[in-house]
Amino acid sequence: MQSSGGDADLPRPYRPVPSRRGVLGAGLFSVALTVPHWQDVVGRMEAVQRGRAHRYGMADVDMVSAMTERISELDDRFGGRHARPMAATFLVNTVAPYLRADAPTPVRRAMMSAAADLCYLTGYMAVDEGFHGLAQRYYVKALELAGAAGDHLTYCTTLRGMSVQAVDLGHGREALRLADAAAAASPQAGPRMRAFLAGQQAHAAARTGERANALMYIREAEAAMEKAESRARAFGSYDPSSLLYHVSQVRYELRDVAGSVGVLKESDRVRQRVYRRARVRHRCTLAERQLDIGHLEEACRTWHLALDDYPDVHSGRADTRVRVMSARIRPHLRNAAAKELHERARGLAPALTGT
């Protein structure tokens, strides 16, 4: 699974710097301004960065969590290409020094948990850019911190993220091992978390050809989601649309391409959260499968929907899907719909479409 990636932003000993903008960079500083009570905590941050602060409290933990949430929102909307350097800078210059400072044990555990969440997010964004070796380093650090903090949610989420990375890279056995480990590490998971974990187990099992297990895990995920939807959304990022995506992946891996197309359409229809990057990727996947079953013009319409969002997304995975679209559509350029799509893609992303 290892592959090279940019290692320049791996955590390393921090260097004191003279100003807020020097510490954060202009982009990160503008994000930081949206954190509640930012002006109240920035002084403490700079003191820690210069080695003058020897203790920290829950207000500092809350600030790290709030910054992670803001960076995650940027990643969701625009992709990781711009947000990941912000996260890496914040992790190296601010969070790492906190972990070396003193704090009461409960506060220190909370800071390790917040740092684990940030490491997981940074690894996820590295995956988005295709820096898989770098992503694994962040993921491993997230596991270490989450384990030390007793943070089962981040620990299991990170293992699941590693499984997603593995299955996308074609390592089905490793993906299933990681998905099973995530499920085993969370025996008291609520129904939404259980659906979140079982959906990935199903996809990984299907990738390895374990049809019976894949279908068993999908049924388990569906039953858990039904329970979760009747409760408050404590883990709302995994919703019925996300589960339908996993159902479609299982059907596709089990050679039911037409069935996967129908379920992906339904997933797109019921999606409630507007994550542009995911919408671009999933619509491109849908179009590719529509083309697989011979529905050229329908595929072109779906690709056009993906291109509607594409200019606002800075994502390596989205770029890959556009490259695939260009290659898949090129043999069909005598068709008017295909030619129109090709021309539009060439105007939006000439470097990706070979023009």
Side-chain angles (χ1 to χ4, degrees):
M1 279 177 60
Q2 294 284 352
S3 65
S4 62
D7 289 344
D9 55 0
L10 281 173
R12 53 171 60 91
Y14 75 98
R15 295 180 295 275
V17 286
S19 70
R20 293 177 198 171
R21 289 183 182 271
V23 171
L24 298 172
L28 184 57
F29 183 74
S30 64
V31 175
L33 290 175
T34 69
V35 174
H37 310 299
W38 170 252
Q39 297 301 336
D40 296 335
V41 300
V42 69
R44 287 199 306 277
M45 284 179 57
E46 292 184 342
V48 169
Q49 290 155 3
R50 293 188 175 90
R52 293 200 302 265
H54 301 290
R55 290 181 71 82
Y56 59 89
M58 283 305 301
D60 303 285
V61 176
D62 292 342
M63 178 272 298
V64 171
S65 297
M67 280 291 291
T68 301
E69 184 176 344
R70 295 302 184 275
I71 294 170
S72 179
E73 289 169 359
L74 288 177
D75 173 56
D76 287 336
R77 289 184 61 193
F78 303 113
R81 188 168 295 143
H82 296 319
R84 184 179 62 84
M86 295 180 188
T89 299
F90 184 59
L91 180 61
V92 171
N93 288 337
T94 299
V95 179
Y98 274 128
L99 294 174
R100 292 194 291 269
D102 293 330
T105 297
V107 176
R108 181 164 180 78
R109 287 168 66 92
M111 183 61 81
M112 287 192 292
S113 178
D117 198 32
L118 178 59
C119 283
Y120 166 73
L121 173 63
T122 311
Y124 179 85
M125 291 188 288
V127 169
D128 186 50
E129 294 182 77
F131 297 154
H132 292 288
L134 178 62
Q136 288 180 341
R137 292 180 177 89
Y138 279 116
Y139 281 160
V140 169
K141 183 58 65 176
L143 290 176
E144 291 173 356
L145 288 165
D151 181 350
H152 286 87
L153 176 60
T154 301
Y155 192 86
C156 295
T157 300
T158 301
L159 284 172
R160 181 190 181 277
M162 296 172 79
S163 175
V164 171
Q165 180 189 23
V167 80
D168 287 348
L169 291 174
H171 300 282
R173 290 292 173 191
E174 182 69 5
L176 184 55
R177 185 184 70 82
L178 289 163
D180 287 345
S186 186
Q188 304 302 320
R192 194 175 301 276
M193 182 65 170
R194 184 63 209 129
F196 177 72
L197 297 172
Q200 180 59 27
Q201 286 178 289
H203 186 188
R207 172 60 63 89
T208 62
E210 297 184 17
R211 179 185 182 89
N213 283 336
L215 296 177
M216 176 190 70
Y217 285 131
I218 276 295
R219 287 193 296 270
E220 187 175 333
E222 289 171 337
M225 181 60 70
E226 185 174 347
K227 291 180 182 178
E229 285 297 286
S230 65
R231 302 184 182 184
R233 295 198 170 196
F235 197 71
S237 61
Y238 195 78
D239 58 15
S241 174
S242 303
L243 175 57
L244 285 168
Y245 172 77
H246 270 133
V247 173
S248 76
Q249 294 295 79
V250 168
R251 291 196 177 191
Y252 182 77
E253 298 290 355
L254 298 181
R255 306 287 194 270
D256 181 10
V257 181
S260 78
V261 165
V263 178
L264 265 182
K265 285 182 180 178
E266 181 65 8
S267 175
D268 191 58
R269 187 186 69 80
V270 303
R271 184 180 295 117
Q272 295 177 351
R273 296 169 181 267
V274 182
Y275 296 149
R276 287 194 183 98
R277 175 183 53 204
R279 192 160 60 187
V280 169
R281 291 175 49 235
H282 293 176
R283 284 176 171 173
C284 283
T285 298
L286 172 58
E288 291 162 26
R289 294 178 187 176
Q290 287 169 330
L291 187 60
D292 286 343
I293 59 176
H295 297 173
L296 172 60
E297 295 190 357
E298 187 178 17
C300 289
R301 287 193 293 271
T302 304
W303 266 315
H304 273 296
L305 291 175
L307 291 178
D308 289 345
D309 286 314
Y310 176 73
D312 295 321
V313 175
H314 305 280
S315 160
R317 286 186 293 179
D319 289 347
T320 296
R321 299 267 58 83
V322 171
R323 287 191 187 95
V324 169
M325 179 198 69
S326 179
R328 293 291 305 273
I329 208 68
R330 197 168 290 123
H332 304 281
L333 292 182
R334 291 185 179 181
N335 178 280
K339 184 176 181 180
E340 179 186 1
L341 175 68
H342 179 72
E343 292 299 318
R344 184 185 180 196
R346 188 167 64 177
L348 288 175
L352 302 179
T353 54
T355 57

